[in-house]
Amino acid sequence: MARNRRRRLGAWLLALLVLAVVLALYEADRTGVSEPSAGPCPDSALQCPGTSPAPGPTPTPSPSADPSATGSPSPSATTAPSAATPSPGSGGAPTTGPCSSPGACGFPDARTTGPRIALERHDTGNTSVKTDGTVIKGWDIRGALDVYANDVTIIDSRITSTNWWGINLRPGYSGLRVLHTTITAVPGKGPDNGGVDYAVSNMGGSSIEVGWCDISVFGNALSMGQGELHDNYVHDIVAFRNQGGEWQHTDAVISGGGNKGRLTIRHNTLLNPVPVEQGASAAIGLFADTGSVSSVVVDGNWLAGGAYALYGGGSGATGIQVTDNVFSAQYHPNGGAYGLVAAWNAGGAGNVWHGNRTADGRPVVPEPTP
């Protein structure tokens, strides 16, 4: 009898163990949060967890704003375009001669960016991610992600935000990757007097990677002092008046200076269609708002719109390499409303200007900064 009782007790314990495992797997699937693992590198990432970063200066946090997280998600249709994955930073743009449009000349567009798989809707609202190594894949998110964790990857997903941002990396955290993802917002529904500010904001102390993403609506789409921005399509930025009642300055990529890490902007299509009287600044705005601009690579991009298509960092800028970019007259005859380039410091240490041209093949030579 004692032996039978022990057998029955063992059977019950085994059944309880199986039930606990099933419940744990269900909860992990429901929340979409994966624990850190030594698995393969995320698809197409330039750098994997645990690998050594590329040589360069020690990065410091970028001066992005830190508004409170408010707002609520609003539904939109799920999309799942299929696109081949090119190698990071690869370009088909010719080095000379005319170029009719970004897509026709090998630059990113809607066909080569965004998710490559079908998506599952998740009404997360404005969510904090706090588990290191989290991977979010195949989600159609109605909300925004505030990242308080290391080595987080968002891949093959869509984010529709009504928050200040789509994805925000908080200070003290690193290793964020955003790949093959559509990041957009609902015009008029954001917390900044109806506007939305940052598609991806890097407040962390190291480089992040944003690649093959389709980004629209946000006023300052990619906001950071250090990062690897490649093969993205930024378009259809929407103008809005901020909470102070002033037109928000808009930029496809913006950096406020003062950073120690490297910012690489390579093989992106960066469009700023906003009229200058409604706040347009640049396609790429390198501004010395919080310190001198340094260690920036701007290579092989298609640029159009803004007051000037490119702000080059100003008189104190150093280590700025601007090479083989195409400046388009898509919105203004001179690239931007006032011209192609402003604030370029030709005499700055390590500054390089080479191979830049207009879409019809003419060389672009910036005027020196006074």
Side-chain angles (χ1 to χ4, degrees):
M1 294 294 292
R3 184 180 304 130
N4 289 336
R5 283 197 297 271
R6 285 196 297 271
R7 286 176 179 173
R8 285 196 296 272
L9 178 60
W12 276 107
L13 290 174
L14 179 60
L16 288 173
L17 178 61
V18 170
L19 179 60
V21 170
V22 170
L23 289 174
L25 290 173
Y26 170 77
E27 180 65 17
D29 180 69
R30 187 180 67 84
T31 60
V33 175
S34 62
E35 294 300 318
S37 68
C41 183
D43 296 357
S44 307
L46 293 182
Q47 185 177 315
C48 303
T51 59
S52 299
T58 302
T60 56
S62 63
S64 303
D66 184 15
S68 59
T70 58
S72 57
S74 177
S76 65
T78 296
T79 59
S82 176
T85 301
S87 59
S90 63
T95 55
T96 60
C99 200
S100 59
S101 69
C105 295
F107 291 93
D109 62 12
R111 298 170 299 175
T112 59
T113 56
R116 302 161 296 177
I117 61 176
L119 306 181
E120 178 184 352
R121 178 160 170 166
H122 290 262
D123 293 313
T124 65
N126 303 322
T127 300
S128 295
V129 179
K130 296 184 177 181
T131 302
D132 288 353
T134 295
V135 176
I136 295 174
K137 183 173 184 177
W139 283 27
D140 181 7
I141 296 171
R142 312 306 165 93
L145 300 176
D146 207 5
V147 180
Y148 295 84
N150 299 308
D151 299 324
V152 171
T153 298
I154 298 100
I155 185 168
D156 285 316
S157 294
R158 175 184 174 92
I159 294 173
T160 303
S161 174
T162 54
N163 199 1
W164 297 93
W165 52 73
I167 303 168
N168 181 42
L169 179 66
R170 289 288 180 169
Y173 301 95
S174 63
L176 175 66
R177 296 169 194 82
V178 185
L179 308 173
H180 297 287
T181 292
T182 293
I183 309 169
T184 190
V186 183
K189 299 295 185 180
D192 196 356
N193 196 30
V196 285
D197 292 87
Y198 313 111
V200 182
S201 172
N202 181 12
M203 299 172 67
S206 69
S207 180
I208 71 174
E209 180 185 358
V210 183
W212 302 286
C213 290
D214 183 323
I215 298 168
S216 60
V217 180
F218 292 89
N220 286 307
L222 297 171
S223 175
M224 63 196 69
Q226 52 272 324
E228 295 278 347
L229 311 179
H230 64 86
D231 300 283
N232 300 294
Y233 175 44
V234 181
H235 60 101
D236 293 309
I237 292 172
V238 175
F240 66 91
R241 297 182 188 273
N242 60 24
Q243 289 185 335
E246 302 173 337
W247 287 107
Q248 165 75 20
H249 287 181
T250 61
D251 304 87
V253 175
I254 185 170
S255 179
N259 58 291
K260 302 300 182 183
R262 179 175 294 277
L263 176 62
T264 300
I265 308 166
R266 177 169 284 126
H267 195 244
N268 303 278
T269 298
L270 303 173
L271 309 179
N272 187 348
V274 174
V276 68
E277 64 271 17
Q278 293 183 0
S281 292
I284 296 179
L286 307 178
F287 302 113
D289 293 336
T290 59
S292 297
V293 180
S294 62
S295 300
V296 180
V297 173
V298 180
D299 176 63
N301 302 281
W302 177 283
L303 309 177
Y308 289 89
L310 171 67
Y311 279 84
S315 58
T318 58
I320 314 299
Q321 302 175 35
V322 182
T323 56
D324 298 325
N325 298 282
V326 176
F327 291 77
S328 168
Q330 180 174 349
Y331 305 115
H332 307 285
N334 292 319
Y338 303 137
L340 297 166
V341 185
W344 173 250
N345 179 16
N351 290 352
V352 175
W353 184 278
H354 176 74
N356 303 293
R357 61 184 180 86
T358 61
D360 60 4
R362 293 175 290 116
V364 174
V365 180
E367 296 181 1
T369 298

